Amino acid sequence: MRFPIPAASAEQPYCTELVVRRSRFMAQCAHTPDAGSAKAFIEATGRCRNDADHNCWAYAAGAPGDTAHIGSSDDGEPHGTAGRPMLSVLLHCGIGELCVVVSRWFGGVKLGTGGLVRTYQDAVRENLANLALAERIPSQQVAVTLKYAHLAGMHRLLPLWEARIMEQSCEDAAKLRIELPQAHVQNFEQALANMSNGTAIFHRTGGEVYGKI
C-alpha cells in the first residue's frame, strides 16, 4: 500500500501557530512510522517546550485511518478536550504515520471545554493544511548480475518500474543492488529476463524496505 506521509522529520517538524483569546497554540507535526518514534518525538518536543502550560499530543502511526497504533493525551487540559479531538483529525486527514504535538501557553482567558476542543482541532487542521508530504512506498532490494552488453538496456528499464541503483560494482560482470516498489518486482524481473535473453541473474535481498519519495 502506498499512501502520503509527512515530509517533515522529528528533527525538523513542521510548525504553525494559532492565537485564540490571548492563548498561544503551537502545533508541530512530524513523520513517525511507529509508536516508538512517535513517543520519542513527543518527549523531545515536551523537553523543548517545557515552558508551555500544556503539551497535548496525538499520533496515528499506521496507514490513513488505521487505529492499530494510535495514542493521545490531554496533558492536564480538561479530560477529552485536546488529545482525542486532535486524534480524530489525524484519523480523518488522509495522511499516515504522523504525530502532532500542540503546545499551549495560557493567555488568561478560559475557553471552556467546547472552545478547547474546537481550538485544538483547528490548530491541527491549520498545521496539516500546508504540510509538505512524501509518499510511503513498501520497497524491495534486489541483486542483479548481468553482462556489460546489457547494462544500457537495464538502465532504460529503471524509470519504467520506479527502480534506482543503490550500489554497483564492476567485475567480470556488472553487479548491482537495486531498490524498487514491491509491486513492481515481478514485472521488473520479467522485463530484465526478456532484455538479457535470460542471462541476467536476479534475486531478492534482505527484507522489506520502507522508502519515501
Side-chain angles (χ1 to χ4, degrees), residues 142-147 173-174 176 189 192 196 198-203:
V142 300
V144 174
T145 302
L146 75 169
K147 298 176 181 178
L176 308 99
E189 180 178 10
L192 196 62
S196 66
T199 61
I201 300 172
F202 179 103
H203 67 271

Side-chain angles (χ1 to χ4, degrees), residues 147-167:
K147 298 176 181 178
Y148 286 107
H150 296 138
L151 194 58
M154 189 216 64
H155 276 275
R156 288 193 290 272
L157 293 176
L158 296 180
L160 298 178
W161 306 111
E162 299 181 90
R164 57 178 180 148
I165 296 173
M166 307 298 293
E167 188 177 293

Side-chain angles (χ1 to χ4, degrees), residues 22-114:
R22 298 204 299 268
S23 279
R24 177 184 169 211
F25 295 80
M26 176 184 287
Q28 295 185 86
C29 178
H31 175 227
T32 52
D34 51 52
S37 58
K39 291 173 183 177
F41 172 61
I42 292 163
E43 291 173 3
T45 304
R47 289 194 298 271
C48 183
R49 307 296 177 193
N50 59 10
D51 61 328
D53 295 287
H54 307 278
N55 286 297
C56 305
W57 52 265
Y59 70 83
D66 184 359
T67 58
H69 305 286
I70 60 175
S72 64
S73 171
D74 297 317
D75 191 40
E77 291 282 31
H79 179 68
T81 60
R84 292 297 298 182
M86 291 167 58
L87 179 60
S88 178
V89 175
L90 297 190
L91 290 174
H92 294 88
C93 71
I95 305 170
E97 299 183 353
L98 75 168
C99 179
V100 177
V101 179
V102 177
S103 303
R104 180 194 183 191
W105 289 265
F106 182 53
V109 179
K110 292 184 178 181
L111 302 181
T113 56

